[in-house]
Amino acid sequence: MLTDYELQALLLSLKISSVAVLFSLPLGIACAWLLARRNFWGKSLLDGFIHLPLVLPPVVIGYLLLISMGRQGAIGKWLYEWFGFSFSFSWRGAALAVAVVSFPLMVRSIRLALEGVDKKLEQAARTLGASPLRVFATITLPLTIPGILTGTILAFARALGEFGATITFVSNIPGQTQTIPLAMYSFIETPGAESEAARLCVVAIVIALSSLFASEWLTRLARKRLEVM
């Protein structure tokens, strides 16, 4: 049975990860489409920039967010002065941090799905007079649903497990930025709190496995429906 403290960390983790994935998804689809369907100057640079969080230490990502989006950062200072909005030391900052870290997984899955769509179907629709937007909405996007589901769930699972970027950017504040990994870190540093850390460890494993199983099941279901169509 989870304590109120542990439950608070769990619910906050779910909230932060959900918001991060929800706001990342439209941008993820757009970036994946650009990389899969367009050739332009700087494409390799954009591809490398999007996938950079996969190879950078999370602490480096957190530091870059701190100096750019913090209250005294280049962008964060402007946001605070003009709109009174700040990412610093809040769940919104944690959502931004986990969104940046999980974004490459989302884009990669959607891009692979887009590259697997038969372009002849799109060309046939254009020949029949469909606009590019209608072709994307009625043909490309439905055929990409398995990849979108996979990318979304993988990004959600990665967001739940993020630690380094979050603690560097928004610290470890109970009820505000303390997600499951950060709560576990606090328990590990606290003498006699081994059982609490173990409980959260089990919760994290269950959520991660559930996400992977859900991803596989939804992908299979979407593919079966596409085959019927």
Side-chain angles (χ1 to χ4, degrees):
M1 189 70 177
L2 297 178
T3 64
D4 291 340
Y5 183 86
E6 295 161 356
L7 186 60
Q8 184 182 59
L10 171 60
L11 294 177
L12 186 61
S13 294
L14 295 174
K15 173 184 176 181
I16 288 172
S17 299
S18 299
V19 170
V21 169
L22 180 64
F23 280 90
S24 296
L25 186 56
L27 182 60
I29 294 174
C31 289
W33 183 84
L34 275 176
L35 295 175
R37 296 301 178 84
R38 288 290 181 265
N39 291 315
F40 52 91
W41 185 90
K43 179 178 178 179
S44 297
L45 183 63
L46 176 62
D47 190 18
F49 182 77
I50 289 173
H51 290 87
L52 193 60
L54 286 178
V55 294
L56 275 179
V59 174
V60 174
I61 297 172
Y63 174 73
L64 292 174
L65 287 173
L66 185 63
I67 63 176
S68 61
M69 304 301 293
R71 188 168 294 184
Q72 298 301 319
I75 300 174
K77 184 177 181 180
W78 177 79
L79 288 174
Y80 185 71
E81 289 178 349
W82 285 87
F83 302 102
F85 180 84
S86 176
F87 286 106
S88 299
F89 308 111
S90 69
W91 70 268
R92 293 182 294 271
L96 176 62
V98 301
V100 171
V101 172
S102 61
F103 190 68
L105 292 175
M106 177 185 291
V107 173
R108 189 169 185 83
S109 296
I110 299 174
R111 179 183 179 180
L112 290 174
L114 283 168
E115 290 174 344
V117 174
D118 190 352
K119 294 183 179 180
K120 293 180 180 179
L121 296 174
E122 298 172 327
Q123 292 170 357
R126 293 194 188 99
T127 302
L128 294 173
S131 65
L133 182 60
R134 186 174 182 182
V135 171
F136 178 79
T138 60
I139 296 177
T140 309
L141 193 60
L143 292 175
T144 314
I145 286 177
I148 293 175
L149 290 174
T150 300
T152 300
I153 295 176
L154 287 177
F156 179 79
R158 178 65 184 90
L160 281 173
E162 170 50 35
F163 173 80
T166 305
I167 197 171
T168 304
F169 181 38
V170 293
S171 189
N172 185 6
I173 306 172
Q176 290 293 325
T177 66
Q178 190 178 70
T179 56
I180 291 177
L182 273 63
M184 281 190 64
Y185 177 74
S186 297
F187 285 137
I188 291 171
E189 285 197 323
T190 304
E194 291 82 3
S195 60
E196 289 85 349
R199 279 199 298 269
L200 285 182
C201 179
V202 172
V203 169
I205 292 173
V206 169
I207 293 176
L209 286 175
S210 299
S211 299
L212 293 175
F213 291 148
S215 173
E216 183 66 20
W217 179 74
L218 288 173
T219 300
R220 289 181 180 179
L221 182 63
R223 285 175 178 168
K224 287 181 180 179
R225 289 188 175 180
L226 289 175
E227 289 173 0
V228 173
M229 294 171 61

